[in-house]
Amino acid sequence: NGIQREKHDTPLEQWGNATTNLYGNSSTKLVVDTKNNKKWITLGGFNLSRYTLDGRNETIYTPTISPLPNHIIYSMTLDDHDGSLWVGTGAGLARITGTEWTVFTTTTTNAVLDREPITCMAISGSTVWMGTIRGLVKFDGNEWTRYSPQNSALPAPFIRNIAVEANGNVWMGVSNEINLDSIDSESMVGLVKFDGTNWTIYNNQNTPELKDNYVNSIAID
């Protein structure tokens, strides 16, 4: 129900559901680019808004006025090396670097990535990892690779969330149910780790600490 900002010496400042409702609600994790004085927000998970860190100088991107592939935004991640914002939409992947857009299609990804929902993303070094409803996609800067239950030991096709360790290990919450709006907890198969070669599954059968296979979010210490 909105986004909040807290400084060390001030109370919470709410950016959603306020009297003016300046920013609107957000269901997608915002991205803050302190190097370039930007923050990226989706309003209710729709379209893309860019602000300066003080909340001014708004720029809104929609499919009708920009190359954004779809108005639904499921995921965003920032490449700290060049300030590029990677945007996962309901119908494909895009990247904005400064004012330049790149939209990734079957042609530019060697038929690995289609105009499909990009549910989550994480960047590790020069590698971008993307969760989709049809498996895990890797882009190392040159080559595109898709891992699915059909060609790997990935136990389910729907990547719900993702995080990457400094050593490159990829952690995912995966599901058999392909429903972007809601999920039956029974369809979640647990937590999966991929080290580039081996797949390890943690669930409530082999890991007592996991009382439920439902993985809401993942963070790396």
Side-chain angles (χ1 to χ4, degrees):
N1 292 327
I3 303 170
Q4 294 180 329
R5 177 176 67 186
E6 183 178 9
K7 297 181 181 179
H8 70 282
D9 57 352
T10 59
L12 285 173
E13 173 190 344
Q14 190 166 343
W15 292 357
N17 295 338
T19 303
T20 59
N21 201 25
L22 176 62
Y23 295 92
N25 299 331
S26 177
S27 57
T28 304
K29 182 180 178 181
L30 82 161
V31 171
V32 179
D33 181 1
T34 55
K35 292 180 182 178
N36 297 293
N37 188 33
K38 299 175 184 177
K39 58 175 174 277
W40 300 89
I41 300 173
T42 68
L43 304 183
F46 297 97
N47 299 319
L48 180 65
S49 295
R50 184 187 69 196
Y51 297 89
T52 52
L53 293 182
D54 59 9
R56 302 175 182 176
N57 301 320
E58 178 189 33
T59 302
I60 298 178
Y61 301 92
T62 70
T64 56
I65 61 175
S66 77
L68 189 68
N70 189 263
H71 71 285
I72 300 175
I73 310 294
Y74 286 119
S75 56
M76 299 186 294
T77 190
L78 182 72
D79 188 335
D80 291 326
H81 295 94
D82 61 5
S84 296
L85 182 77
W86 292 75
V87 185
T89 78
L93 176 71
R95 180 184 65 201
I96 179 170
T97 307
T99 58
E100 181 180 351
W101 283 86
T102 303
V103 177
F104 298 93
T105 65
T106 54
T107 302
T108 57
T109 64
N110 195 28
V112 171
L113 196 65
D114 200 354
R115 291 295 185 105
E116 61 191 286
I118 309 298
T119 55
C120 52
M121 288 187 291
I123 294 179
S124 175
S126 60
T127 300
V128 183
W129 295 93
M130 289 148 275
T132 77
I133 62 174
R134 297 191 295 114
L136 177 69
V137 174
K138 174 186 177 182
F139 177 54
D140 65 5
N142 295 298
E143 295 184 5
W144 294 81
T145 306
R146 181 185 292 274
Y147 302 93
S148 70
Q150 289 71 40
N151 67 8
S152 73
L154 179 66
F158 192 174
I159 312 299
R160 281 276 172 181
N161 39 60
I162 192 170
V164 184
E165 289 186 75
N167 63 7
N169 287 344
V170 184
W171 294 83
M172 296 158 280
V174 299
S175 169
N176 282 307
E177 180 188 33
I178 302 175
N179 187 334
L180 293 164
D181 297 320
S182 63
I183 183 172
D184 177 4
S185 61
E186 296 299 322
S187 71
M188 291 289 290
V189 302
L191 183 66
V192 177
K193 182 180 76 171
F194 178 51
D195 65 8
T197 303
N198 303 303
W199 300 81
T200 305
I201 303 171
Y202 301 90
N203 56 37
N204 57 10
Q205 299 299 311
N206 61 21
T207 308
E209 292 79 6
L210 290 177
K211 297 181 180 180
D212 195 326
N213 290 330
Y214 196 110
V215 179
N216 286 298
S217 60
I218 306 170
I220 304 298
D221 185 347

